[in-house]
Amino acid sequence: MSNSNFLILSCDGGGIRGLITAMILQELDKKVPFLNKIDLFSGTSTGGIIALGLASGVPISTLVNIYGNPGNCSQIFNPYDPQLNKALSFLEKFIRELDKSKEFAGIAEILGIIDKLLYVKYDNTGLKAVLEHNLTSPSKSLAKLDRKVLVTTFQLDNTADPKNQSWRPLTLDNLPNNLFDSQDTSILDAALCTSAAPTYFPPYQHPSYGLCIDGGVFANNPSTLALARVLGSGILGERKIQNIRMLSIGTGIAQNYLPPSYQPHGPLRYGPTTWFWPEAVGHTPGIPLLSILMDGSSIIDDFQAEMLLGEQQYQRINVQLQENIPLDGCSKIGKMQRLVNDYVASPEWKKKIEWVQSNLL
């Protein structure tokens, strides 16, 4: 670890797009071996899994394989099939067969998505199995790791405090002065908490904090949160904010937007069905409100971190996506691999390598 500067790696959330983050880290480390110099690995959701893996000694090549292996992806995104789904499918088919005039086609379509509005898209059994197979000592607590790590999650019910049960954001970390005593959290529990993306996966039952969800709802890019946590932990000792260097890795800039044509009936129709519609429509992803929260969080945290640290101390890598890649976009693995390969051949990549070499070694 560095004797003079405190080095932070921050990794965004983004589901299967964690492949982009892992590949970029792998390519950077080949050119400039820096991962063994990092003082704090921080991440949210898929970035939290990467951070936990690196902090516990998982080779970056293994993390790349978690995301780049289509078999792992299909196992992670294991569809949840409630019994109601079968009944609704039968009813939808019955209506379509009965109504040859298509008069009730709208009703059949609504019935076809009711289950998507009521239930999570995937259970987390496949994700848990992949993590148990690939993470080093998944049952080990964060406190027993040799490296510092921080991941985000959101507690739905603060049952430990009967006087104030209000939900709250949490950091699961092993830094000093941990207000939540989360250092006893296991690697696996931390990974499943930080990656429990609403509507995609069910909330995860943490043994101490109860049901927790993806930290992306408040810090999809955990850069400024990690910075604040470091400054408040006392770990810097006599060092100051001027001694901090941070590399922030995104999962790609998506071309998402919500045009007026998405809701042709006007602004007054922007009710819950608009914000929580489960299907993608053009450049608008499914559950658009969730994507707005996560994308907006990442953008503003990037801005804040750069304003606080400056270009010399802070660097962001976030490639431009050529198309929308959803969190569960297993069919896009090849395209993401080609995207990263193209990026590392670009002039911008050379500048990133120069910054890492100057600041993270």
Side-chain angles (χ1 to χ4, degrees):
M1 295 185 184
S2 171
N3 291 322
S4 56
N5 292 327
F6 190 90
L7 312 181
I8 303 173
L9 175 66
S10 174
C11 302
D12 285 20
I16 194 58
R17 298 202 310 269
L19 173 60
I20 295 173
T21 301
M23 286 185 67
I24 286 175
L25 291 174
Q26 183 179 49
E27 292 300 319
L28 268 178
D29 203 54
K30 286 179 183 177
K31 293 290 185 179
V32 187
F34 75 100
L35 288 176
N36 64 335
K37 308 288 185 180
I38 297 297
D39 293 298
L40 172 65
F41 296 96
S42 61
T44 288
S45 195
T46 195
I49 291 173
I50 292 172
L52 289 162
L54 292 173
S56 59
V58 177
I60 186 60
S61 58
T62 298
L63 295 170
V64 169
N65 184 62
I66 289 178
Y67 296 97
N69 185 331
N72 284 339
C73 192
S74 60
Q75 184 178 3
I76 289 171
F77 296 106
N78 179 40
Y80 177 64
D81 187 19
Q83 292 298 313
L84 178 62
N85 181 44
K86 299 177 182 178
L88 290 172
S89 295
F90 174 80
L91 186 56
E92 178 189 4
K93 182 178 180 181
F94 176 76
I95 290 177
R96 291 188 184 279
E97 289 294 324
L98 183 65
D99 180 31
K100 301 299 182 182
S101 67
K102 309 298 182 183
E103 183 179 352
F104 296 103
I107 296 177
E109 181 180 354
I110 291 174
L111 287 173
I113 65 167
I114 283 180
D115 63 305
K116 297 178 182 178
L117 292 170
L118 295 178
Y119 296 94
V120 294
K121 196 172 184 180
Y122 307 103
D123 62 35
N124 60 9
T125 56
L127 173 60
K128 183 178 181 181
V130 169
L131 293 176
E132 288 177 323
H133 180 72
N134 288 279
L135 293 178
T136 301
S137 303
S139 61
K140 180 183 288 187
S141 70
L142 304 183
K144 293 182 179 179
L145 294 179
D146 294 330
R147 313 292 294 276
K148 297 303 181 186
V149 66
L150 176 153
V151 300
T152 65
T153 191
F154 194 91
Q155 183 183 21
L156 296 181
D157 177 14
N158 184 10
T159 54
D161 185 357
K163 296 181 179 179
N164 182 17
Q165 290 186 229
S166 179
W167 52 27
R168 58 178 180 170
L170 299 176
T171 62
L172 306 177
D173 67 66
N174 57 1
L175 288 164
N177 298 318
N178 190 315
L179 297 177
F180 307 116
D181 292 325
S182 60
Q183 66 274 4
D184 294 326
T185 297
S186 73
I187 295 171
L188 182 61
D189 284 338
L192 290 171
C193 281
T194 192
S195 60
T199 75
Y200 285 89
F201 292 109
Y204 181 71
Q205 184 74 33
H206 187 284
S208 299
Y209 305 125
L211 294 178
C212 293
I213 60 172
D214 194 319
V217 297
F218 69 95
N220 199 51
N221 171 353
S223 55
T224 53
L225 178 60
L227 176 59
R229 183 71 182 90
V230 166
L231 291 173
S233 69
I235 196 171
L236 291 179
E238 295 181 357
R239 291 173 293 184
K240 307 296 182 183
I241 190 172
Q242 290 81 7
N243 296 112
I244 291 176
R245 300 291 184 271
M246 179 185 291
L247 176 64
S248 173
I249 312 290
T251 57
I253 304 172
Q255 293 296 310
N256 293 334
Y257 53 86
L258 202 158
S261 58
Y262 181 87
Q263 184 49 269
H265 299 288
L268 293 178
R269 280 290 298 272
Y270 279 67
T273 56
T274 293
W275 297 113
F276 296 100
W277 195 253
E279 301 290 342
V281 180
H283 284 272
T284 305
I287 319 295
L289 184 59
L290 181 62
S291 292
I292 287 172
L293 291 172
M294 292 186 171
D295 289 351
S297 168
S298 292
I299 293 169
I300 197 64
D301 275 300
D302 174 37
F303 170 78
Q304 291 171 335
E306 185 173 354
M307 291 300 101
L308 290 168
L309 295 176
E311 292 183 1
Q312 179 60 40
Q313 295 177 240
Y314 171 81
Q315 192 69 204
R316 172 82 163 166
I317 300 178
N318 202 14
V319 301
Q320 181 71 55
L321 301 180
Q322 302 302 315
E323 60 181 286
N324 182 39
I325 300 177
L327 273 64
D328 53 354
C330 295
S331 64
K332 308 294 184 181
I333 287 176
K335 291 186 177 181
M336 286 187 283
Q337 291 170 331
R338 290 189 292 273
L339 181 68
V340 174
N341 289 335
D342 289 342
Y343 179 72
V344 299
S346 69
E348 182 181 343
W349 177 248
K350 295 180 181 179
K351 295 179 181 178
K352 303 301 182 183
I353 292 175
E354 291 173 359
W355 185 91
V356 171
Q357 192 163 25
S358 299
N359 293 279
L360 298 186
L361 293 183

